[in-house]
């Protein structure tokens, strides 16, 4: 079981004091650009499979909605630039199915069929967010780190496909581009 799936299952098995702290939920909102477009919402609706949507929805409810900016002190989050944090989600489709079955009180086969989930799917998603006030998380950008890069030109594809450990800082090129763009984004 991955750390993400284990966390999602064990989140409610905490002491009373920990539960009291976690009961202060954060509100999650989608950043809206000047044209009224919500890029993260569009990405979720248009680009993610049913399995990835379920995994991300559960993760958002269980991790940043409960922990807010403290997610950066866990394995599921990290600060990436001043005021910008990242939620890191890594799971397998069978873990999503088991989580849905547990939450809904149904057997895994029923959950898989009812929600059109793929047990063999790998999930490797990143969502960037910022905090507003003490209780608001604003989702800025998301991408599927496990998706194949676009094939514009062979030399560009080779650079994008380069192993993260081959670059300074260990981050992939898409990650670096997103953070650079978000640090210039006026999301106030």
């Amino acid at each position: 079981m991955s750390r993400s799936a284990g966390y999602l299952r064990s989140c409610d098995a905490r002491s009373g004091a920990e539960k009291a702290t976690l009961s202060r939920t954060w509100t999650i909102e989608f950043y809206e650009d000047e044209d009224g477009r919500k890029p993260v919402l569009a990405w979720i609706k248009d680009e993610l499979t049913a399995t990835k949507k379920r995994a991300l929805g559960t993760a958002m409810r269980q991790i940043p909605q409960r922990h807010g900016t403290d997610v950066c002190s866990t394995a599921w989050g990290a600060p990436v630039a001043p005021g910008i944090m990242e939620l890191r989600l890594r799971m397998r489709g069978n873990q999503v199915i088991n989580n849905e079955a547990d939450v809904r009180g149904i057997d895994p086969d029923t959950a898989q069929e009812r929600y059109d989930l793929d047990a063999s799917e790998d999930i490797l998603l990143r969502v960037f967010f910022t905090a507003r006030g003490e209780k608001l998380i604003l989702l800025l950008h998301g991408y599927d780190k496990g998706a194949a890069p676009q094939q514009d030109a062979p030399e560009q594809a080779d650079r994008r496909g380069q192993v993260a450990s081959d670059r300074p800082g260990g981050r992939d090129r898409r990650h670096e581009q997103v953070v650079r763009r978000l640090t210039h984004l006026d999301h106030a």
Side-chain angles (χ1 to χ4, degrees):
M1 177 179 345
S2 78
R3 293 182 73 178
S4 296
Y7 176 80
L8 293 176
R9 287 198 181 145
S10 66
C11 219
D12 290 324
R14 297 177 176 270
S15 71
E18 289 173 309
K19 283 184 180 179
T21 300
L22 294 177
S23 67
R24 301 178 316 180
T25 59
W26 288 64
T27 300
I28 296 177
E29 292 183 2
F30 294 94
Y31 164 76
E32 186 173 328
D33 66 18
E34 58 278 351
D35 296 327
R37 188 174 170 276
K38 298 178 179 179
V40 177
L41 185 58
W43 168 68
I44 292 168
K45 287 181 173 182
D46 300 339
E47 296 182 34
L48 297 184
T49 65
T51 307
K52 290 176 181 180
K53 287 176 187 176
R54 286 277 170 182
L56 184 59
T58 299
M60 294 303 293
R61 285 187 300 278
Q62 295 294 327
I63 304 170
Q65 192 169 20
R66 289 185 179 195
H67 294 276
T69 57
D70 288 341
V71 72
C72 292
S73 63
T74 72
W76 300 275
V80 293
I84 299 174
M85 290 139 280
E86 170 188 44
L87 174 68
R88 301 170 177 174
L89 183 60
R90 179 183 205 125
M91 298 179 76
R92 296 269 311 151
N94 63 336
Q95 294 167 322
V96 177
I97 292 167
N98 290 333
N99 285 339
E100 285 299 318
D102 288 347
V103 167
R104 310 279 179 216
I106 57 179
D107 68 270
D109 290 336
T110 302
Q112 183 175 11
E113 184 178 325
R114 182 178 295 171
Y115 301 111
D116 192 29
L117 304 176
D118 180 355
S120 65
E121 191 167 3
D122 287 323
I123 299 155
L124 187 59
L125 304 175
R126 299 295 187 256
V127 178
F128 298 91
F129 64 94
T130 190
R132 291 287 178 240
E134 293 185 28
K135 300 295 241 168
L136 178 67
I137 289 178
L138 187 63
L139 303 181
L140 303 171
H141 183 80
Y143 75 97
D144 185 346
K145 189 171 180 172
Q150 291 180 327
Q151 300 293 318
D152 298 332
E155 63 278 358
Q156 288 177 330
D158 287 343
R159 283 197 309 270
R160 277 195 298 264
Q162 185 178 12
V163 178
S165 62
D166 291 345
R167 279 191 295 284
R171 297 194 189 267
D172 71 24
R173 186 168 304 280
R174 284 182 294 179
H175 186 281
E176 293 166 358
Q177 291 169 345
V178 167
V179 171
R180 217 175 11 259
R181 191 169 56 238
L182 290 176
T183 56
H184 298 331
L185 177 66
D186 179 18
H187 49 265

